[in-house]
Amino acid sequence: MSRFVNVAIGQLGPIAKQETRAQVVHRLSALMLQAHQMGCDLIVFPELALTTFFPRWYIEDVAELNAYYERAMPGPETQGLFDLSRKLGIGFYIGYGELAVEEGRTRRYNTSIIVDKGGQIVGKYRKVHLPGHEAHEPWRAFQHLEKRYFEAGKDFPVFEAFGGKFGMAICNDRRWTETYREMGVQGVEMILIGYNTPVHNPPAPEHDDLSLFHNQLVMQAGAYQNGTWVVGVAKAGIEEGVDQIGGSCIVAPSGEIVASCTTKGDELALARCDLDLCNSFKETTFNFDLHRQPDAYSRIVARKGPGLMADGSPVPPPGPKTDDRA
């Protein structure tokens, strides 16, 4: 018997700096209600969906910075979304800034969760691939200070939800092949990804015209190469003067886009996703148990890149060449 999950993209338009949590939750709730009316089991919202994208500003005041994070989930301002989820019987994915006290100190993460149809959190993920920079760089038209405002997550877990195996990623994670493969080897059947991606890339403006192409390219490749559904959802449009791409879409395990948004505002797009469609890819071309060769991939975890080992030390030079001729 096929396992269908009716999925809604819950794309958001811009969130202004002065917009309150209550106003944003009202927008999210309106999209959730529409998705329920259309028979959806799950609605997927963007990264940092409760506030404007605050890493674009250099913020020195700790109280001002902390106001962008959630200390509890659900909290007083987000409880209504969970209550609506439970009332309607529809699950959701949402990204937010998380303020956590761990090992006696305050830590900040770029986080997402999966909530089931009963309004219960069944999975939590913390963004691993933090883009941008840590130092103040006022020469930029806008900054991207995720490395300053967040700590990196350490894992790509997979969760049982909606009758299948679900995973999560956030924004820049979608560009890295390791993201998909880490979940792929766990048998993931649907990966949910929220993002806030500016059209303009200050360090590499020559990439600007390729923003939407690259967005689709990496998600389609990740879906096909791991035999999984991928749902990518944007916060789009001109937010506080920064133009952000849309391009929200649902990608089948074949790599084909089966649903997409056409605006840069609050919008829904829907797809009926058969999780069993993953099987023909996982059992043939990408049958990992049969075809992968992990012993040949040791450099992937031993090295950080061409110049550094995983522990941060320099890559040693190659040893002396030997002549084995008799």
Side-chain angles (χ1 to χ4, degrees), residues 262-284:
T262 57
T263 73
K264 284 191 169 184
D266 292 14
E267 183 182 351
L268 288 181
L270 317 175
R272 185 164 170 79
C273 303
D274 183 357
L275 298 181
D276 287 331
L277 190 59
C278 301
N279 297 342
S280 65
F281 297 93
K282 292 182 183 296
E283 294 171 359
T284 58

Side-chain angles (χ1 to χ4, degrees), residues 61-193:
D61 183 84
V62 174
E64 179 185 353
L65 177 63
N66 285 348
Y68 287 107
Y69 296 82
E70 310 303 312
R71 290 170 171 78
M73 186 59 71
E77 296 165 304
T78 53
Q79 183 64 55
L81 194 64
F82 286 76
D83 293 341
L84 184 62
S85 164
R86 183 166 51 254
K87 177 182 176 182
L88 299 177
I90 182 173
F92 65 96
Y93 159 107
I94 193 167
Y96 60 96
E98 179 192 4
L99 193 67
V101 177
E102 297 178 342
E103 299 172 354
R105 70 181 183 91
T106 299
R107 312 179 78 157
R108 297 177 177 87
Y109 299 99
N110 190 337
T111 297
S112 64
I113 52 173
I114 295 174
V115 178
D116 68 14
K117 291 183 176 185
Q120 299 298 312
I121 297 172
V122 293
K124 183 176 181 179
Y125 166 74
R126 290 166 169 171
K127 186 174 181 179
V128 170
H129 298 102
L130 299 175
H133 52 102
E134 184 174 359
H136 188 26
E137 297 185 1
W139 59 267
R140 295 171 177 256
F142 56 89
Q143 303 201 48
H144 201 125
L145 289 155
E146 287 196 57
K147 289 186 183 296
R148 180 179 182 85
Y149 297 147
F150 302 117
E151 295 184 43
K154 303 296 184 185
D155 191 21
F156 291 99
V158 167
F159 306 95
E160 294 288 336
F162 305 98
K165 294 183 178 180
F166 279 65
M168 291 177 276
I170 299 175
C171 200
N172 189 44
D173 287 324
R174 73 193 190 281
R175 305 185 189 280
W176 297 84
T177 57
E178 294 89 347
T179 296
Y180 303 94
R181 187 64 91 229
E182 271 287 319
M183 290 181 274
V185 296
Q186 298 175 72
V188 72
E189 295 171 305
M190 183 173 286
I191 299 174
L192 311 178
I193 306 173

